[in-house]
Amino acid sequence: MKLVKRNISSKDGGGSITLRPDTPEDLWHAFNLLQKGDCVRCTTVRKVVKESSTGSTTSNKKRLMLTIEVKKVDFDPDVLEVRISGKVQSENDFVRLGAHHTLTLELNQNFSLEKECWDQIYLDVIEEACNPERQAEVAGVVLHSGLAHVCLVTGALTITKARIEVNIPKKRTGSSQNAKSIKKFFEAVYQAILRHIDFARVKVVLMGSPGFVKDDFFKYLQEEMVRRDDRPFIENKSKFVLCKASNGHKHALDEVFSDPAIMARMNDTKVAREVEALNKFMRMMEVDPDRAYYGFAHVSKAQEQLAVDTLLLTDQLFRSSNVKARKEYVTLVEEARAAGAKVFIFSSMHLSGQQLQQVSGVAAILRYPLPEIAEIGEEEEEEVADDASSDEEYDPLWRVKEDVADMGL
Amino acid sequence: MSRHRMVRNLTQDDYYDDYDDEYYDDDYYEDDDLQQQYAPPSLSKPIIAAAAPASVFAAPVAAAPAPRAQIPWPKAKPAVNTAPAIAKGSLTKPPPGWGTPSNSAPVGVAQPPPGFAPPSNTASVGVAKPPDGWGKPAALQSQKATTLPATAAGVMKPPPDWGKPSSGQEASKNQDSKTKATATKSKSSNKQQGSVYVPKPVPDILKTAKSQLSMVVLGHVDAGKSTMMGQVLVQAGYISKREAGKKPMSWILDENEQERERGVTMEIGTKTVRVPKHDIVLLDAPGHADFVPIMITGAANADVAILVVAANTGEFEAGFDGGGQTKEHILLARGLGVTQILVAINKLDMEDWSKQRYDEIQAKVKSYLLQQQFAPKRIRFLPLSGLTGENVKSRNDSKLSAWYKGPTLLDAMNDFLPAKRQLEKPFRFGITDVYAEGKGVVARGRVMQGFVEAGERLVVLPIGDVVTVNKLEHLQPPTTDDNDKNAFKRLSIGMAGDTVELVLSGIELVRLSVGSILSNPNARPPLTKKAKAKVFILDSVTIPIIRGARVMFHMQSLDIPATVSKLIALTKGGGEVIKERPRALSRNSSAIVEITLNDKIAMEQFSSCRALGRFVLRRSGDTIAVGVIDELL
Ligand SMILES: Nc1nc2c(ncn2[C@@H]2O[C@H](COP(=O)(O)OP(=O)(O)OP(=O)(O)O)[C@@H](O)[C@H]2O)c(=O)[nH]1
Ligand SMILES: [Mg+2]
């Protein structure tokens, strides 16, 4: 992400920032900056309807610069798109003030964002996004007999590039169907990796499976790449690392990242750090449950007593459209930092972040045991969890409705 | 009695109440008192809608056991036993778009076609077309069932007191949370009612028929499971000595190239063998830790188990203590409903047939089995060598004969008690293998309950496609009464317990998958993502389970990513609540939890269908819990 212009008042933190996203990952960061009530200004395409003197109408698409007040933001992980919708705030020859509009943030296109207050969390996001030392991309392939996922893991995103599922008939005397389908399955995974992984950017391809599936597959890959002379594989053979995963479901990727040997090779990527912090929390839960708490009520109680050593939160909490709730989390982070705690903000596009979200999105490892906290009720957390799950449910109708509104109907 | 009582109190309380023991026709055994002993006093009798008439099950084995050694072994019928030849070149068609898996959409998951009754998990449960003679089996029908109004469509509307019809259910979902509670209540009572299924009359031929006995072979990697089963097949005459030849005996089971190359079983080897009292389906499970999910699919389909332990120095210890799979297999088998276990103390040839070693191992394994609530009378031990064949069918080594007088392996297999089958319950079939060959699309699997005949129409769940059974083939033709003129009818019926292959029409191969459930379209199991369940957290769990913990949910042949979405209560084994909404569940505890799966699957309350009501939870390759479904949400 490129920071084009920054104009923030040191007095109240209000002002605007102009940014230019240049990778899909930047779009994710942009998504985390946007909040209901902000104003976004950028170029967009709008269908303009003209009525001629005879009463017939013509419509054509026009590129315009528009400012809209954000009403709803949506990130589509499949196509990596940020959609923003809201009311138009800038008068224009073609669009009336207050009309509804939906726009998509585009790569390599400036957009400026105005907020009433840029708090520290936002500034951190901008800093992370604009850090020129780009996080290396890692490919992760998990497989078990008949099921595979090919994923790309970047600093903040885990993107499923392909899911391969092939029915493998069981062994039967005199039948070669089993062997044939295994070949077919391997071939599909081979093609998926070839197609979806850009070795120019990917530093390492982690391949995990139970048993010998990965070894058999790697053998297949090595044989086939030579036979077919697939240069990308031949030239990057050393990037493949075999490791353990208990199955081929996507969430087994987390196991791959918890492997210490792998972590060493990944030297300090964001995912690896997140996985480590979460595992540490889980272990503490076992060893000394009075030093591991989750849920806002418990964690903030611990923070009140300045007992928090490590604070884990998901970025989803900061996207909360409830300004008050967001503010509470921001305060929690600021206070914890001030008291010397380590703070990790997990990307909810990583599996570790999703796991943390399931545990209410906030957890803490304490410096010393606080058994009395456990007695506090957990009513609040229940709500957080419910919110989160409904957030995940994607409502396709919403888009349709917005589009209809968009066309001025 | 007192000894294992004690052991038991030390560990799992009463997680396993006596429901598993009801699996057997208790009247049949002399050791009736045993059931009493294991029944927690608070537990009420079974919730099964209709008990089978005793005569069905008492018949085949009522006679006193034949003297050992003189059991007339059936003549081998190799032709029958080998799998049907596969037409060359009948390779299955790849799924559409298979070569270009460019998006992340799962292949083969689809909406049910319009026009079929939606697989609502409520109203349609257990509502069946009345059978022709449905006035007759009065013993099975409850008041309510007999008052069902008949409708032309075949799908009957539930009477009003069965809870709201499905549209009403939908509506109630959208109501706010306060009314939700009552809606849930009416739903669950609905399901209770749903288990009162008006069955098709059980054909006479099945009343005296014996079902196949499914026997899974368990044990730590390299314990000698495959070798032993190879030996069983050779000694029982299914494979000639010449055929077995110089190749390792285990290759009879390990038929895949990779398995042979590595000397490790990787998937379930399925074979059949007949002993005088049983038609047995052998399921040779892999022992390797990474293949526990595959072993689970075998154990979930088994009535009884052989546990193979290697007796040689060091190997037993490695498999039994610290990290070995022996214990894990034992508790998985128990959790998945296996209640009879035969422990084969193998490789005793390497210990010079030492009785002392045998006794030592027996003592250790026995105490663990008792801890896991296997009833003492359901645990048996025997010494043998799968490699040399000693004590598989006969004994030749005087060193062993000197101290061991018990049954051989084949005799011991013959002495397994027959499993009680639930023929009156709605038909359920779990697909364990799918392939295509000359004759069409074939689904292999096991009948969990009820029965199925060639010609029937069935629904495939969760996808909802309706298929027709063109042909039904048994893995091995069931033994029938030679004097019965109608015996041939048994061949085209798959009854509860049978492993059969169904040739299906009306569906493409790519739409079928392992783990799918077949049922009668009018009596389908509910499809659901969420359930309340009783779980027992295993001893090996190091990282406690907290709300939101991500796990793999294993049921039958399915494994589905899932979340432990609520920790409802920490309980004593018997169900008594110790603490509501605990923060975490740690090892050796019993609890009630809510589980949310990533995908909808067919599952049922344990009381309605055992096979679809039991599950295992795993995490990062470790088994963390076994459980049963209490209520669908
Ligand atoms: N001496 C001796 N060796 C045996 C005996 N049974 C098996 N073996 C050997 O043990 C090794 C493992 O045998 P398998 O039958 O493949 O063991 P398994 O339990 O099926 O192994 P997995 O399926 O991979 O878990 C082989 O080398 C056998 O020859 C026995 O009774 N005596
Ligand atoms: Mg084996």
Side-chain angles (χ1 to χ4, degrees):
Chain A
M1 188 107 81
K2 185 135 177 21
L3 182 62
V4 181
K5 201 160 69 193
R6 179 187 159 123
N7 187 3
I8 296 177
S9 149
S10 54
K11 249 190 279 156
D12 59 359
S16 71
I17 282 185
T18 304
L19 296 162
R20 183 165 67 235
D22 40 40
T23 65
E25 172 129 2
D26 291 342
L27 294 173
W28 170 254
H29 290 305
F31 173 57
N32 280 299
L33 289 174
L34 288 157
Q35 189 158 33
K36 195 174 164 188
D38 295 349
C39 283
V40 176
R41 181 170 178 78
C42 70
T43 56
T44 174
V45 174
R46 183 159 173 106
K47 210 183 258 177
V48 178
V49 182
K50 262 197 204 132
E51 199 171 329
S52 71
S53 49
T54 60
S56 68
T57 57
T58 54
S59 84
N60 54 348
K61 289 187 174 170
K62 248 198 148 56
R63 240 188 135 72
L64 332 147
M65 180 70 101
L66 280 185
T67 303
I68 65 173
E69 185 186 316
V70 179
K71 204 171 123 208
K72 173 125 192 166
V73 197
D74 175 36
F75 183 82
D76 184 334
D78 294 328
V79 292
L80 300 170
E81 251 181 20
V82 181
R83 285 161 187 252
I84 308 166
S85 62
K87 290 212 168 77
V88 173
Q89 294 296 305
S90 57
E91 190 90 55
N92 191 298
D93 288 349
F94 305 100
V95 191
R96 73 193 150 75
L97 201 64
H100 190 90
H101 186 74
T102 299
L103 60 81
T104 309
L105 290 186
E106 287 170 38
L107 287 181
N108 306 316
Q109 283 284 338
N110 287 2
F111 72 93
S112 50
L113 179 60
E114 188 179 334
K115 282 184 183 295
E116 272 175 23
C117 178
W118 290 86
D119 60 39
Q120 193 55 43
I121 299 291
Y122 290 131
L123 298 178
D124 288 350
V125 171
I126 292 175
E127 191 181 334
E128 188 191 335
C130 297
N131 184 350
E133 232 175 87
R134 200 146 279 309
Q135 297 268 6
E137 290 185 5
V138 177
V141 181
V142 282
L143 63 169
H144 70 237
S145 187
L147 178 70
H149 281 85
V150 176
C151 301
L152 195 65
V153 183
T154 70
L157 300 178
T158 300
I159 306 157
T160 305
K161 288 294 192 178
R163 178 183 203 270
I164 296 120
E165 203 174 357
V166 171
N167 171 46
I168 299 187
K170 301 275 152 33
K171 60 189 177 192
R172 253 167 297 115
T173 314
S175 163
S176 60
Q177 288 201 23
N178 177 283
K180 280 184 190 158
S181 344
I182 290 175
K183 273 233 158 66
K184 197 163 81 181
F185 171 63
F186 283 173
E187 178 57 20
V189 181
Y190 182 98
Q191 291 298 341
I193 298 177
L194 192 61
R195 184 172 318 220
H196 294 294
I197 292 179
D198 174 4
F199 284 94
R201 290 161 65 167
V202 165
K203 193 173 137 191
V204 47
V205 183
L206 302 173
M207 223 149 54
S209 83
F212 319 101
V213 186
K214 55 179 182 289
D215 309 274
D216 289 344
F217 173 68
F218 194 50
K219 191 168 150 234
Y220 177 86
L221 186 136
Q222 283 174 303
E223 282 167 11
E224 291 300 306
M225 74 187 184
V226 174
R227 204 169 63 76
R228 302 175 196 187
D229 197 30
D230 276 331
R231 301 314 297 176
F233 284 163
I234 294 173
E235 283 154 19
N236 294 285
K237 212 182 99 185
S238 63
K239 286 186 181 171
F240 286 89
V241 178
L242 303 193
C243 46
K244 229 178 142 64
S246 60
N247 56 63
H249 290 280
K250 189 179 168 189
H251 74 208
L253 263 186
D254 252 11
E255 295 170 25
V256 172
F257 287 113
S258 337
D259 185 329
I262 299 299
M263 290 245 291
R265 225 185 131 133
M266 303 269 302
N267 50 26
D268 215 30
T269 54
K270 185 171 155 74
V271 219
R273 275 199 311 265
E274 288 173 2
V275 171
E276 193 192 359
L278 189 63
N279 286 349
K280 216 170 125 192
F281 171 76
M282 297 293 184
R283 275 196 302 273
M284 188 57 87
M285 201 79 201
E286 160 74 3
V287 181
D288 190 353
D290 294 336
R291 283 181 61 197
Y293 282 96
Y294 60 89
F296 185 78
H298 285 173
V299 172
S300 62
K301 203 86 202 156
Q303 175 51 36
E304 264 170 39
Q305 306 191 30
L306 301 180
V308 174
D309 175 69
T310 309
L311 182 62
L312 320 173
L313 307 103
T314 60
D315 54 14
Q316 188 163 327
L317 299 173
F318 300 99
R319 288 197 303 274
S320 166
S321 49
N322 174 351
V323 179
K324 191 169 150 267
R326 183 178 191 284
K327 204 156 181 166
E328 281 176 345
Y329 285 108
V330 174
T331 312
L332 178 65
V333 169
E334 282 169 349
E335 285 176 3
R337 274 198 186 133
K342 294 182 281 294
V343 177
F344 292 91
I345 298 186
F346 286 45
S347 167
S348 48
M349 287 301 284
H350 282 323
L351 293 156
S352 45
Q354 282 154 18
Q355 167 72 81
L356 182 59
Q357 190 60 42
Q358 292 289 346
V359 191
S360 79
V362 54
I365 303 172
L366 310 193
R367 294 178 217 275
Y368 47 86
L370 284 178
E372 62 277 14
I373 290 185
E375 303 308 316
I376 303 167
E378 282 178 70
E379 301 308 324
E380 248 173 286
E381 286 158 42
E382 213 62 66
E383 276 165 35
V384 173
D386 285 350
D387 272 2
S389 59
S390 65
D391 252 6
E392 274 166 31
E393 269 169 41
Y394 168 67
D395 176 11
L397 273 184
W398 173 72
R399 256 195 210 166
V400 176
K401 273 186 227 138
E402 297 285 284
D403 287 345
V404 169
D406 192 17
M407 289 149 114
L409 299 171
Chain B
M1 161 185 172
S2 56
R3 203 184 76 230
H4 52 256
R5 258 279 136 143
M6 228 173 60
V7 178
R8 184 159 162 260
N9 287 341
L10 283 177
T11 56
Q12 303 193 350
D13 302 334
D14 297 305
Y15 171 74
Y16 292 116
D17 25 29
D18 65 344
Y19 43 54
D20 287 322
D21 290 323
E22 287 157 24
Y23 209 56
Y24 302 99
D25 201 348
D26 288 347
D27 300 339
Y28 166 69
Y29 305 112
E30 326 107 74
D31 54 322
D32 229 311
D33 56 335
L34 189 97
Q35 318 297 325
Q36 303 287 309
Q37 183 185 313
Y38 269 80
S42 61
L43 210 106
S44 58
K45 267 288 144 190
I47 330 165
I48 307 161
S55 65
V56 173
F57 300 100
V61 263
R68 311 265 176 231
Q70 291 161 15
I71 293 170
W73 289 101
K75 271 249 152 38
K77 297 179 194 165
V80 153
N81 190 44
T82 47
I86 308 297
K88 282 262 148 57
S90 63
L91 185 63
T92 60
K93 242 206 314 198
W98 162 80
T100 55
S102 55
N103 59 23
S104 57
V107 178
V109 176
Q111 293 298 314
F116 290 114
S120 132
N121 57 0
T122 50
S124 62
V125 181
V127 182
K129 205 157 88 175
D132 301 335
W134 73 314
K136 267 183 275 168
L140 305 177
Q141 286 177 13
S142 73
Q143 262 330 75
K144 272 170 196 141
T146 44
T147 59
L148 285 175
T151 61
V155 178
M156 297 179 60
K157 257 203 225 134
D161 55 346
W162 276 33
K164 287 178 204 157
S166 59
S167 60
Q169 294 285 348
E170 285 310 290
S172 70
K173 257 185 210 158
N174 299 332
Q175 287 165 9
D176 66 47
S177 57
K178 266 173 221 150
T179 51
K180 230 184 211 165
T182 53
T184 316
K185 235 183 225 160
S186 81
K187 250 196 217 172
S188 66
S189 67
N190 198 355
K191 284 196 193 86
Q192 285 288 2
Q193 298 290 2
S195 66
V196 185
Y197 167 62
V198 185
K200 280 187 303 188
V202 175
D204 286 343
I205 183 79
L206 295 188
K207 298 206 169 126
T208 52
K210 72 179 166 188
S211 62
Q212 291 169 347
L213 189 73
S214 221
M215 181 183 86
V216 67
V217 187
L218 308 174
H220 188 66
V221 65
D222 274 354
K225 300 178 287 298
S226 305
T227 305
M228 191 182 295
M229 288 308 111
Q231 192 69 255
V232 163
L233 290 169
V234 169
Q235 299 218 5
Y238 286 86
I239 288 169
S240 69
K241 289 235 165 67
R242 192 147 44 80
E243 225 177 305
K246 291 170 258 348
K247 289 173 282 180
M249 214 45 122
S250 57
W251 284 20
I252 296 169
L253 281 302
D254 295 343
E255 293 180 290
N256 279 355
E257 214 179 289
Q258 294 98 329
E259 293 180 321
R260 292 179 174 184
E261 213 171 273
R262 297 193 169 91
V264 170
T265 304
M266 286 156 75
E267 44 173 85
I268 303 278
T270 308
K271 295 283 165 188
T272 55
V273 58
R274 237 186 269 271
V275 293
K277 287 186 198 161
H278 304 290
D279 300 338
I280 294 181
V281 175
L282 289 178
L283 303 167
D284 176 41
H288 191 292
D290 281 6
F291 302 135
V292 169
I294 294 164
M295 170 271 169
I296 290 174
T297 66
N301 279 304
D303 299 307
V304 300
I306 293 189
L307 174 74
V308 181
V309 295
N312 49 324
T313 316
E315 205 179 330
F316 168 74
E317 285 72 15
F320 191 72
D321 303 317
Q325 263 54 61
T326 311
K327 288 179 179 170
E328 187 173 11
H329 281 193
I330 290 173
L331 47 88
L332 282 171
R334 187 64 178 95
L336 291 166
V338 170
T339 49
Q340 298 180 64
I341 194 162
L342 172 62
V343 183
I345 299 183
N346 192 32
K347 303 197 185 181
L348 218 60
D349 55 317
M350 294 171 81
E351 293 290 308
D352 205 22
W353 300 105
S354 152
K355 178 172 192 310
Q356 199 188 342
R357 179 68 172 162
Y358 175 82
D359 289 342
E360 176 196 348
I361 292 172
Q362 170 166 356
K364 281 189 180 158
V365 176
K366 189 165 197 168
S367 99
Y368 191 72
L369 288 169
L370 291 172
Q371 264 182 43
Q372 300 310 321
Q373 318 252 314
F374 277 92
K377 287 271 173 95
R378 307 278 187 270
I379 305 171
R380 292 176 297 155
F381 289 85
L382 89 173
L384 79 170
S385 166
L387 191 66
T388 66
E390 179 70 9
N391 205 25
V392 169
K393 188 179 176 183
S394 60
R395 282 188 291 277
N396 305 311
D397 197 312
S398 56
K399 281 192 201 127
L400 177 61
S401 319
W403 58 267
Y404 180 75
K405 310 282 182 224
T408 61
L409 176 60
L410 283 167
D411 291 339
M413 280 161 61
N414 190 45
D415 289 343
F416 273 124
L417 304 169
K420 179 168 176 173
R421 305 302 185 190
Q422 298 180 314
L423 288 171
E424 292 79 7
K425 285 200 166 187
F427 171 68
R428 300 283 183 258
F429 182 88
I431 299 181
T432 55
D433 191 8
V434 175
Y435 62 98
E437 56 167 57
K439 55 192 174 184
V441 176
V442 182
R444 178 188 279 191
R446 185 156 178 262
V447 182
M448 301 163 174
Q449 55 182 37
F451 58 95
V452 64
E453 292 169 84
E456 270 186 84
R457 273 157 58 83
L458 302 174
V459 62
V460 182
L461 294 173
I463 59 169
D465 293 18
V466 172
V467 295
T468 305
V469 179
N470 282 355
K471 201 169 162 204
L472 184 151
E473 279 178 18
H474 284 265
L475 246 50
Q476 80 182 328
T479 305
T480 46
D481 182 354
D482 289 340
N483 302 324
D484 186 345
K485 285 192 296 300
N486 289 322
F488 70 95
K489 286 186 184 156
R490 170 78 177 94
L491 297 180
S492 60
I493 300 180
M495 65 187 279
D498 286 354
T499 301
V500 293
E501 296 194 323
L502 305 177
V503 182
L504 303 176
S505 66
I507 192 161
E508 274 183 67
L509 181 69
V510 296
R511 307 255 317 144
L512 273 181
S513 52
V514 170
S516 294
I517 302 298
L518 299 180
S519 75
N520 186 308
N522 295 330
R524 358 178 142 205
L527 292 181
T528 185
K529 263 182 128 154
K530 222 183 229 186
K532 197 166 118 185
K534 265 198 219 88
V535 290
F536 177 76
I537 314 296
L538 304 183
D539 185 36
S540 55
V541 171
T542 50
I543 297 167
I545 296 164
I546 59 180
R547 179 159 59 74
R550 220 172 12 215
V551 295
M552 287 298 292
F553 178 90
H554 295 259
M555 176 177 275
Q556 290 290 312
S557 301
L558 282 179
D559 48 330
I560 309 259
T563 306
V564 180
S565 41
K566 270 183 199 151
L567 308 182
I568 298 169
L570 199 63
T571 62
K572 288 187 182 158
E576 194 184 322
V577 173
I578 301 172
K579 184 177 192 310
E580 290 204 27
R581 306 179 66 191
R583 254 183 1 116
L585 305 176
S586 39
R587 71 180 75 164
N588 273 330
S589 56
S590 295
I592 298 169
V593 300
E594 178 193 277
I595 293 171
T596 307
L597 308 185
N598 281 13
D599 302 306
K600 272 193 177 172
I601 63 163
M603 61 166 120
E604 291 187 67
Q605 255 171 300
F606 180 73
S607 55
S608 315
C609 176
R610 289 189 162 106
L612 291 177
R614 284 187 220 275
F615 62 90
V616 171
L617 300 181
R618 306 194 85 227
R619 180 169 65 185
S620 308
D622 299 319
T623 302
I624 57 172
V626 291
V628 295
I629 304 288
D630 252 2
E631 187 184 336
L632 306 175
L633 302 170

